[in-house]
């Protein structure tokens, strides 16, 4: 498959799904396997972009920015699922020893997601195989991984067992 934007989109969706599934019993193991799969898809997207050579050669800085952004987005996906877990576990078991989902923890997750999205979209503007005009779209897609991972967990938690 030699479609860098499609591979990157699949990587971001995989990271959001991984973040939402990680705190669930049994399915959480699948979520843990999806994290490296999402990062691998990002790597495949960069490789396919480099091989396409549609735009001038990428610099090491743009590749580093994309990788740094992807890793921050992956961490924010895990943070989103973890914060959603904390909300649910304290609703089910008010005396749970899990740390509460404070406003500062949510704010830190949002900042992590925005920083990762900014790095990723800035790096993609100069990377071959990706249109420089689509930077804002990639920013929005990467920034949405954090809230989507929390939403996936919140949607599945009432139907599936959670780790406690």
């Amino acid at each position: 498959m030699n479609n860098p934007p499609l591979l990157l989109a699949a990587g971001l969706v995989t990271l959001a799904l991984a973040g939402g599934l990680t705190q669930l019993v049994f399915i959480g193991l699948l979520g843990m396997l999806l994290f490296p799969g999402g990062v691998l898809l990002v790597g495949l997207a960069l490789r396919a972009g480099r091989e396409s050579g549609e735009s001038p050669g990428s610099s090491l800085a743009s590749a580093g920015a994309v990788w740094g952004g992807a890793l921050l987005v992956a961490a924010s996906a895990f943070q989103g699922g973890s914060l959603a877990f904390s909300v649910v576990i304290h609703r089910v078991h008010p005396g749970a020893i899990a740390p509460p989902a404070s406003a500062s923890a949510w704010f830190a997750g949002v900042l992590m997601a925005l920083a990762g999205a900014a790095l990723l979209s800035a790096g993609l503007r100069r990377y071959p195989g990706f249109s420089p005009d689509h930077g804002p779209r990639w920013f929005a897609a990467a920034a949405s991984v954090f809230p989507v991972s929390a939403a996936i967990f919140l949607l599945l938690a009432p139907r599936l067992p959670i780790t406690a």
Side-chain angles (χ1 to χ4, degrees):
M1 175 172 233
N2 197 17
N3 189 343
L6 184 61
L7 286 168
L8 183 60
L12 293 175
V13 168
T14 303
L15 290 174
L17 191 58
L21 296 179
T22 301
Q23 301 296 329
L24 297 167
V25 175
F26 298 121
I27 296 176
L29 296 174
L30 174 64
M32 292 301 250
L33 292 174
L34 287 175
F35 273 114
V39 174
L40 178 68
L41 284 170
V42 171
L44 290 173
L46 293 179
R47 181 175 178 214
R50 189 178 62 226
E51 289 174 354
S52 72
E54 293 173 2
S55 62
S58 69
S59 67
L60 185 59
S62 66
V66 173
W67 275 113
L71 293 177
L72 278 174
V73 167
S76 75
F78 183 77
Q79 180 79 0
S82 297
L83 289 172
F85 164 77
S86 185
V87 167
V88 170
I89 198 69
H90 284 287
R91 190 179 326 138
V92 174
H93 303 291
I97 60 171
S102 65
S104 62
W106 284 101
F107 184 68
V110 168
L111 283 180
M112 189 184 323
L114 292 176
L119 275 172
L120 186 114
S121 65
L124 288 177
R125 285 179 188 254
R126 299 197 48 123
Y127 206 83
F130 294 92
S131 172
D133 300 333
H134 293 153
R137 292 179 186 168
W138 286 118
F139 178 84
S144 68
V145 169
F146 172 72
V148 168
S149 66
I152 288 171
F153 179 82
L154 292 173
L155 287 172
L156 295 177
R159 293 167 190 78
L160 300 171
I162 59 174
T163 59

